[in-house]
Amino acid sequence: MSKHHRGAVKMAGQMLISRGDPRLRVMAHAIRHEQQGEIALMQHTQGIKAVATAFRNMFSDNVTERNSGS
């Protein structure tokens, strides 16, 4: 299932860097972070560590394919 989520992160990332509709770019940003959080949960990240990771990703926009779990 994490392969499915990694695909969503990749597609959202492509939309985010496009020059497309700004509303879709905002949605792509949200999707990247949401999917990254779900990947972390599937990899058994829990509690304060999961919350800290989510905040760090959201505010620094450091969600990348590399961070999406292999």
Side-chain angles (χ1 to χ4, degrees), residues 26-64:
V26 168
M27 188 172 84
H29 179 77
I31 288 169
R32 285 178 58 197
H33 293 294
E34 187 256 336
Q35 294 296 308
Q36 181 70 21
E38 290 185 16
I39 290 168
L41 289 173
M42 285 186 276
Q43 294 175 342
H44 307 291
T45 302
Q46 297 177 6
I48 297 298
K49 183 178 178 183
V51 173
T53 299
F55 273 12
R56 187 171 49 253
N57 287 342
M58 185 170 49
F59 292 116
S60 65
D61 194 28
N62 66 349
V63 177
T64 64

Side-chain angles (χ1 to χ4, degrees), residues 5-21:
H5 291 277
R6 285 192 306 271
V9 170
K10 182 177 180 179
M11 286 186 285
Q14 290 169 343
M15 182 63 206
L16 190 60
I17 63 172
S18 77
R19 294 180 184 228
D21 187 327

